[in-house]
Amino acid sequence: MFLETSRLRVRRFRPGDAPALAAYRSDPAVARYQGWSEPVSREEAAGLVAGFAAADPGEPGWYQYAVELTATGELIGDIGVRLHDNRMQADLGFTLARAHQGHGYATEAVTALLDRLFTEGGLHRVSAECDARNTASARLLERVGFRLEGRRPAHSWIKGEWTDDLLFGLLADDRQRRHGPCGPDGE
C-alpha cells in the first residue's frame, strides 16, 4: 500500500483490478474528457494494469495509482502522476468511477497524494490540465490549492473536436502556506 486516508487506499494496481478498471473507463461519461476512447476491454485493461503494476513511481514518467474504498476494497478510480526527469516537478491526473463521483473521494485522494508528493517526494511544483468544459475537475483542482494559470483555446484534438485546455499549477511553498508543513489537518 502506498497511502491510506480515513476512507481510501491509494496503492499499486493488482491483476484483479482489471475488470473494475475496464468498467469505469468504459463509461462514456467518465471517458468524455479523457484521452482514451471507450469501451476499454477487459484484455486492454489487463494490459494496462500489468503496465501500471510494473512501473516504478520513483522514476520519471507516468505512474498510475489505484484508488480503493477502505471499507470494501472496491476499486473506484485511479490517479496518475508524471514525474519529470528533474524529479522536482510532476503532472497530475485523476479518474473516478461515475457512481463514486460527488462524494469527496477524488478530493480526498488527490489531497493525500499531494501531501506525499510535496513532503516525502520533495517536489517543487505539481501541474495539472483539464478540458475547459470539465468544470468538476477544475473546481477540484482549485479546492485542493491549484491556481488557474492559463487557458489554451482550441489546443487539444480529442474525440473529433478541438477543446480548450485549462492549465493549473501548485507550488510547494503555496501549499505549505495554505496547509502548514504536514497537510491540511496538521497530521
Side-chain angles (χ1 to χ4, degrees):
M1 178 188 49
F2 181 67
L3 59 91
E4 192 165 333
T5 70
S6 61
R7 302 184 300 164
L8 303 172
R9 277 187 202 94
V10 179
R11 59 163 175 80
R12 284 185 172 273
F13 270 89
R14 300 186 288 248
D17 294 327
L21 179 75
Y24 71 75
R25 286 201 170 192
S26 291
D27 181 339
V30 172
R32 180 176 181 202
Y33 302 118
Q34 300 285 3
W36 74 82
S37 296
E38 81 288 333
V40 175
S41 71
R42 283 189 178 211
E43 294 76 25
E44 184 180 354
L48 289 169
V49 166
F52 298 160
D56 182 347
E59 292 299 315
W62 278 104
Y63 186 83
Q64 294 295 127
Y65 293 97
V67 178
E68 76 175 20
L69 292 175
T70 305
T72 64
E74 178 185 2
L75 179 69
I76 64 167
D78 56 86
I79 300 178
V81 176
R82 183 174 70 94
L83 186 63
H84 289 231
D85 288 339
N86 64 21
R87 291 184 165 84
M88 294 183 287
Q89 62 196 80
D91 298 310
L92 176 78
F94 46 87
T95 303
L96 209 63
R98 185 173 11 166
H100 298 286
Q101 294 175 7
H103 301 285
Y105 295 132
T107 299
E108 188 173 326
V110 168
T111 298
L113 184 56
L114 287 171
D115 288 345
R116 176 69 57 96
L117 291 172
F118 283 120
T119 57
E120 293 180 24
L123 294 186
H124 171 72
R125 175 185 173 82
V126 176
S127 301
E129 64 181 73
C130 69
D131 187 308
R133 300 168 299 174
N134 190 348
T135 57
S137 288
R139 283 192 312 268
L140 184 152
L141 291 167
E142 290 174 334
R143 189 168 44 252
V144 300
F146 282 83
R147 273 189 213 168
L148 178 61
E149 296 178 336
R151 181 184 192 112
R152 293 186 296 203
H155 184 266
S156 295
W157 178 256
I158 295 180
K159 299 181 177 138
E161 63 183 324
W162 289 105
T163 63
D164 292 2
D165 292 342
L166 298 179
L167 307 174
F168 292 88
L170 178 59
L171 298 173
D173 291 346
D174 292 340
R175 182 140 180 97
Q176 187 169 355
R177 276 193 290 279
R178 182 174 178 190
H179 295 296
C182 299
D185 299 324
E187 297 176 348

